[in-house]
């Protein structure tokens, strides 16, 4: 089992390495010379050379790559080419915003999806099951940011029950922090829940056909009890598998939802600096987001090995 | 790009552009003629017993300042928060354009208009406690004019020069010498008479800082005003606190916070939620209905110095021909632009001048909307297949106006490639790089039509070069005061006739406050958002 | 009941495609030009009203369908043209190499379309092209997996073994046996990917990183409504409904097709 986990961690490290190389090359090798771009019309061969030296662009790509990675390992993401600001200092305050938004959304999505998915599976021949399926289809068709816009207009401006946008740090006022996060979290979670319901539903459907479930029913357990006993675990396993992918979706959804609700998160930072074509900030934020997704995927795999004995042999399921 | 870029290169451009946006977004009320206590009343009624109980004021503004030094190459956001609040000038211009005493109690002008004698208020002192002497003022004028004090460059503790905005130094170029006759008497000699110089002395170029603080202006305030900078939380806010030793009427608030919020909807929500007291400039006029309840909010609407201008790159081959520029001007329905962008608030203008200018003349009839004539002119000029790069600054009013104008130009057969540029890129590419055909930004400074004078401002992004205009401007500036308005009108008309740019409208001063806030100036006449006139119930 | 998904999906998709085609030749007004007073409510002259610049919303909605379909077709096309051959190739690789390739697609899936598009927009500036390329590239792994899985099944079948025994080359086998057999699977995936492409394109142009104005897209209509939507919510509702209808249509069509093709699924729900 240890070997299997070690193997997966190795794969994770390789994936991370691959991703970092791709991001670095995309940001540093693809676009034109940032020094020339920064200098604009005052660019002359001399000023360009000086600027390149100032930004450290005169050294070979591999050296810069190693320095970038070494810096990140120390928590130093370098400096913005344009303003000289420390990228780490720019990113740090955004992490709690995006972190709480993504985590709370995922949590809420699961809380919504579990019971609804169960109903959908159990009552699949009744109107309740149909209703849940229709809701899930509709939910999947709605862009999270549009849901956010509508919620903001309705609850924030029309009814004035919740703040329509903006963010208050937890340390400043926990109650306001929570109130400001309700609408963004709900808009992300609703859409995610719609996706998750389908997974939960098929997980429960699978259970209905399993022998142990039929046995439980045969010995006189009610369907509900049998499902709670076996179905929830199976559904949980199924949810864990999709967690990695869903996290990627939530993080990306968060980027747009942050724009709707004007939250000072990683997404807003990314958009601001993408707009300004500030490569250093861009590559750091993209790396962080990819890192988050890969870490969750790795954790999921490790958890899976721990939970599911069949996988302990080390093969791919 | 940002504030790291050496200022020598960006020069005036950066400063004006930055100011343009600053004001465009936050055109602010300041120093009107309202005789509210606390405006200037030097030395009078400075009784500390009148100071009210602990009070705070929070103002939403945008964009954020880049350096604390209001005279550096930075956007006017720094002056917006600090002029008259933290720093003072010799005189203050009221809303009728009449200079009022501030640090100077009175002044005299010699008959030839070249020599000014200022008599300083002997009680005026900096926050450090030192008196505002004539010698200190001389050092300020010298620093703005030359970057040097006593023949030595002013340098920060780390050895780098303390920058001075090229715009400010250009205003002071006309100064030949400034000397301290005695501690409270200052004599300034100009190289030629100038009608505009005194106005500059009442705005950012004329602000007087404590010479002992010159080296650290970018990190620590050194003014003589009722407030001083307490804390600058980068990316969030600038907090001012009361200057306990203020020489005039003390500030009414213990702290004044300028909170920087980029999004117009967010600003509105913050006021609705009560977390701020004032929106320095409403950027989403369509949303004003939210503040319609007078029991809760007050909407102040007035004038600014900001001309929302569609610049045409006069130097580009396509736009060299005055007929093409006129045709473009004729194609634009300014009324519709004003309706769509500002919900009809503001004043349509026809040259680089606003109604509060002493030389204002309504020139909106020159090259007024006439698409048929526009088409005919284009045909005459042989410009029948014109494609122009339209690069407005990516600011709410500019992109909205550009949307309208793109359609209007299409209607007369001009193709437009619309490419809004984020603010820092705009400064670099359009303003400094002059890589554009059309663009939109608000030019916010007072009496700034001299930017079209390419002898004063070579390489300015207009690309406009007309010696006749330069002559007209200079003649007006040097003329006896009573002739100044009429002569300057000629200069403004020349610009309009040449269709040097398309001046769309005067940016309205739209301030929204809680109903408990009073004393907000209706008109904005300088770079400052003046809180000295503001009180809360 | 189940045929319903397919039918409703087909109707909605036809609606969107028809709107796109129609708008190439005709819209009630020029979607980029003002056609009356701003922010008008629905009327006979303007069935959906006008936007903040006085442009006819129905015309913009129709023209927006064109951008949506265009970006979707090209993006999915890129993904199919690259992903399917890669998948076929992967199916013929020895186990270990195939495993490595799969791992690589895992990593690639950590870059969702939107993130890739923001990155590209940050490097080269946002445009219709960067949006299409980004969405297309990000969808490659889905097609690679579908094609590989399908191909593995086909390659293991008796008729392929027989063909091989007759000395028919790999490419020929891929062309005559594998491709026709996996085409339906790829078709289903394309439908689903199309829905995702619509969502990504809408988000991108809402963020101002996609198709540039004045060309109307549903996402940019939302963006331009931002300054007025608190006072005029219908400006935000209308383009959003269009996006949701289009996505719903393609999702339903995909689900319907999948069930139609996969008898196992049908049994399960029966």
């Amino acid at each position: 089992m240890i070997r299997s986990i070690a193997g997966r961690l190795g794969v994770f490290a390789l994936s991370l390495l691959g991703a970092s190389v791709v991001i670095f090359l995309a940001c540093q090798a693809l676009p034109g010379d940032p020094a020339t771009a920064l200098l604009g019309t005052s660019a002359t061969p001399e000023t360009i050379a000086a600027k390149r030296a100032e930004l450290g662009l005169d050294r070979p790509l591999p050296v810069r790559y190693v320095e970038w990675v070494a810096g990140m390992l120390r928590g130093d993401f370098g400096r913005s080419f344009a303003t000289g600001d420390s990228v780490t200092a720019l990113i740090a305050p955004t992490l709690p915003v995006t972190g709480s938004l993504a985590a709370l959304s995922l949590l809420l999505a699961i809380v919504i999806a579990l019971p609804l998915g169960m109903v959908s599976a159990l009552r699949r021949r009744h109107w309740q099951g149909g209703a849940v399926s229709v809701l899930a289809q509709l939910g999947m068709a709605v862009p999270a940011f549009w849901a956010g816009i509508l919620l903001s207009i309705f609850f924030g401006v029309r009814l004035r029950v919740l703040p329509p946008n903006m963010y208050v740090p937890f340390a400043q006022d926990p109650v306001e922090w929570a109130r400001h996060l309700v609408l963004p979290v709900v808009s992300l979670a609703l859409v995610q829940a719609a996706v998750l319901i389908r997974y939960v539903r098929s997980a429960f459907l699978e259970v209905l056909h399993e022998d142990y479930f039929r046995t439980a029913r045969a010995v006189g357990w009610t369907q509900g009890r049998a499902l709670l006993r076996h179905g929830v675990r199976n559904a949980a396993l199924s949810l864990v598998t999709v967690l990695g992918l869903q996290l990627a979706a939530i993080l990306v959804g968060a980027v747009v939802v942050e724009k709707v609700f004007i939250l000072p998160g990683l997404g807003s930072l990314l958009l601001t600096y993408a707009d300004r074509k500030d490569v250093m900030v861009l590559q750091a934020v993209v790396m962080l987001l990819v890192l988050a997704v890969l870490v969750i995927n790795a954790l999921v795999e490790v958890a899976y090995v721990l939970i599911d004995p069949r996988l302990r042999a080390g093969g791919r399921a | 790009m940002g504030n790291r870029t050496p200022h020598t290169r960006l020069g005036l451009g950066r400063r004006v552009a930055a100011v343009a946006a600053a004001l465009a977004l936050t055109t602010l009320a300041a120093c009107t003629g309202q005789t509210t206590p606390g405006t200037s009343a030097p030395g009078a009624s400075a009784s500390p017993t009148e100071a009210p109980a602990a009070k705070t004021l929070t103002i939403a503004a945008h964009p954020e300042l880049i350096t604390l030094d209001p005279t550096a190459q930075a956007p006017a956001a720094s002056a917006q928060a600090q002029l008259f609040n933290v720093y003072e000038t010799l005189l203050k211009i009221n809303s009728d354009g009449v200079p009022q005493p501030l640090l100077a109690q009175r002044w005299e002008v010699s008959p030839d208009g070249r020599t000014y004698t200022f008599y300083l208020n002997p009680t005026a002192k900096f926050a450090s406690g030192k008196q505002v002497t004539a010698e200190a003022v001389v050092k300020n004028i010298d620093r703005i004019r030359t970057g040097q004090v006593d023949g030595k460059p002013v340098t920060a503790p780390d050895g780098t020069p303390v920058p001075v905005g090229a715009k400010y130094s250009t205003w002071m170029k006309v100064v030949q010498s400034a000397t301290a006759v005695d501690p409270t008497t200052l004599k300034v000699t100009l190289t030629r008479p100038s009608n505009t110089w005194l106005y500059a002395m009442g705005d950012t170029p004329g602000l007087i800082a404590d010479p002992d603080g010159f080296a650290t202006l970018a990190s620590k305030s050194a003014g003589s005003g009722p407030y001083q900078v307490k804390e600058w939380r980068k990316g969030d806010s600038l907090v001012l606190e009361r200057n306990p030793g203020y020489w005039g009427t003390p500030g009414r608030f213990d702290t004044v916070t300028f909170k920087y919020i980029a999004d117009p909807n967010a600003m509105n929500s913050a006021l609705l939620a009560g977390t701020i007291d004032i929106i320095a400039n409403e950027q989403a006029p369509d949303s004003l209905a939210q503040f319609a309840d007078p029991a809760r909010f007050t909407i102040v609407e007035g004038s600014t110095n900001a001309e929302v201008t569609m610049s045409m790159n006069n130097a580009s081959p396509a736009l060299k021909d005055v007929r093409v520029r006129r045709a473009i001007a004729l194609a634009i329905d300014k009324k519709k632009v004003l309706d769509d962008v500002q919900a009809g608030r503001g004043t349509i203008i026809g040259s680089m001048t606003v109604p509060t200018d002493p030389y204002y003349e309504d020139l909106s009839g020159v090259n007024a909307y006439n698409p048929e004539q526009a088409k005919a002119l284009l045909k005459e000029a042989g410009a029948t297949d014109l494609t122009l790069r339209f690069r407005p600054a990516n600011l709410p009013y500019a992109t909205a106006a550009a949307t309208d104008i793109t359609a209007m130009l299409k209607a007369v057969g001009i193709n437009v490639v619309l490419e809004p540029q984020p603010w820092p890129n705009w400064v670099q590419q359009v303003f400094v790089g002059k890589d554009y055909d059309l663009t939109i930004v608000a030019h916010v400074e007072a009496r700034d039509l001299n930017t079209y004078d390419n002898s004063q401002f070579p390489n300015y992004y207009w690309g406009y070069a007309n010696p006749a205009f330069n002559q007209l401007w200079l003649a007006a500036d040097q003329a006896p005061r009573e002739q100044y308005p009429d002569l300057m009108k000629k200069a403004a008309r020349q610009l309009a006739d040449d269709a040097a740019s398309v001046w769309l409208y005067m940016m309205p001063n739209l301030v929204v406050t809680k109903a408990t806030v009073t004393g907000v100036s209706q008109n904005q006449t300088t770079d400052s958002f003046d809180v000295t006139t503001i009180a809360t119930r | 009941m189940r045929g319903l998904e397919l039918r409703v999906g087909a109707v909605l998709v036809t609606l969107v495609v028809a709107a796109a085609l129609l708008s190439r030749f005709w819209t009630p007004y020029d979607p980029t030009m003002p056609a009356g007073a701003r922010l008008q409510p629905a009327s006979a002259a303007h069935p959906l009203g006008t936007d903040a610049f006085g442009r006819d919303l129905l015309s913009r909605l129709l023209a927006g369908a064109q951008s949506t379909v265009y970006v979707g077709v090209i993006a999915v096309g890129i993904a199919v043209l690259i992903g399917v051959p890669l998948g076929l190739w992967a199916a013929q690789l020895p186990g270990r190499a195939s495993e490595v390739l799969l791992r690589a697609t895992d990593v690639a899936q950590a870059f969702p379309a939107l993130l890739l598009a923001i990155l590209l927009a940050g490097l080269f500036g946002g445009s219709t092209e960067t949006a299409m390329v980004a969405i297309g590239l990000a969808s490659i792994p889905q097609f690679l997996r579908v094609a590989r899985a399908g191909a593995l099944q086909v390659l293991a079948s008796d008729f392929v073994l027989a063909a091989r025994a007759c000395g028919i080359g790999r490419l020929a086998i891929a062309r005559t046996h594998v491709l026709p057999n996996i085409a339906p699977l790829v078709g289903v995936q394309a439908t689903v990917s199309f829905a995702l492409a619509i969502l990504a394109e809408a988000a991108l142009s809402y963020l101002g990183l996609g198709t540039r104005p004045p060309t109307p897209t549903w996402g940019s209509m939302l963006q331009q409504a931002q300054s007025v939507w608190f006072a005029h919510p219908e400006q935000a509702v209308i383009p959003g409904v269009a996006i949701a209808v289009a996505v719903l249509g393609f999702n339903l069509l995909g689900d319907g097709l999948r069930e139609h093709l996969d008898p196992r699924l049908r049994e399960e729900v029966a």
Side-chain angles (χ1 to χ4, degrees), chain A residues 11 15 23 26 137 141 143 145-146 149 152-153 157-158 198 205 252 256 259-260 271 274 277 282 286 289 301 316, chain C residues 99 103 107 111-112 114-115 122-123 125 203 206-207 222 229-230 233 236-237 240-241 243-244 247-248 252 255 268:
Chain A
V11 170
S15 310
I23 294 172
Q137 271 295 0
F145 70 94
W146 185 56
I149 293 169
S152 167
I153 294 173
V157 176
R158 287 289 145 112
R198 308 191 115 207
L205 282 178
V252 161
V256 199
K259 158 110 175 164
V260 173
L271 291 173
K277 304 196 173 67
L282 211 57
V286 172
L289 288 174
E301 293 220 347
R316 259 180 91 86
Chain C
E99 177 82 5
R103 275 289 159 189
V107 177
F111 294 86
L114 202 66
L115 189 59
L123 297 175
Y206 167 67
L207 296 174
L222 280 173
W229 68 40
F230 284 158
V237 171
V241 167
I243 298 168
V247 175
L248 182 67
L252 286 176
D255 286 356
E268 187 191 314

Side-chain angles (χ1 to χ4, degrees), chain B residues 103-108 117-122 182 184-186:
Chain B
L103 287 170
Q105 286 175 311
R106 61 190 178 90
W107 54 90
E108 291 159 359
T117 311
F118 294 93
Y119 300 94
L120 305 187
N121 190 318
D182 63 52
T184 58
T185 312
L186 168 79

Side-chain angles (χ1 to χ4, degrees), chain A residues 37 41-42 82 160 165-166 262 275, chain B residues 1 9 266 269 296 422 428 433:
Chain A
T41 45
S42 67
R160 287 207 199 146
N165 47 33
M166 303 277 279
I262 316 151
D275 216 16
Chain B
M1 44 168 281
R9 202 174 63 243
S269 327
R296 296 179 64 207
Q428 180 189 324

Side-chain angles (χ1 to χ4, degrees), chain B residues 183-196:
Chain B
T184 58
T185 312
L186 168 79
K187 202 160 100 181
V188 179
T189 311
L190 307 183
T191 56
R192 58 170 175 81
S194 170
N195 286 309
T196 44

Side-chain angles (χ1 to χ4, degrees), chain A residues 10 19 41 90 109-110 121 124 132 159 204 286 308:
Chain A
T41 45
L90 286 173
I110 292 172
R124 64 194 178 285
V132 172
L159 298 184
F204 274 102
V286 172
D308 193 334

Side-chain angles (χ1 to χ4, degrees), chain A residues 36-42 54 82-84 157 160 164-166 262 275-277, chain B residues 1-2 4 9 261 263 265-266 269-270 272 290 296 394 422 424-425 428 432-433:
Chain A
T36 316
L38 278 177
L39 288 168
T41 45
S42 67
E54 184 193 324
T83 62
V157 176
R160 287 207 199 146
N165 47 33
M166 303 277 279
I262 316 151
D275 216 16
R276 295 182 190 170
K277 304 196 173 67
Chain B
M1 44 168 281
R4 275 281 184 103
R9 202 174 63 243
I261 303 175
D263 187 279
N265 284 343
S269 327
L272 284 171
Q290 289 173 278
R296 296 179 64 207
N394 199 358
N425 297 30
Q428 180 189 324
V432 179

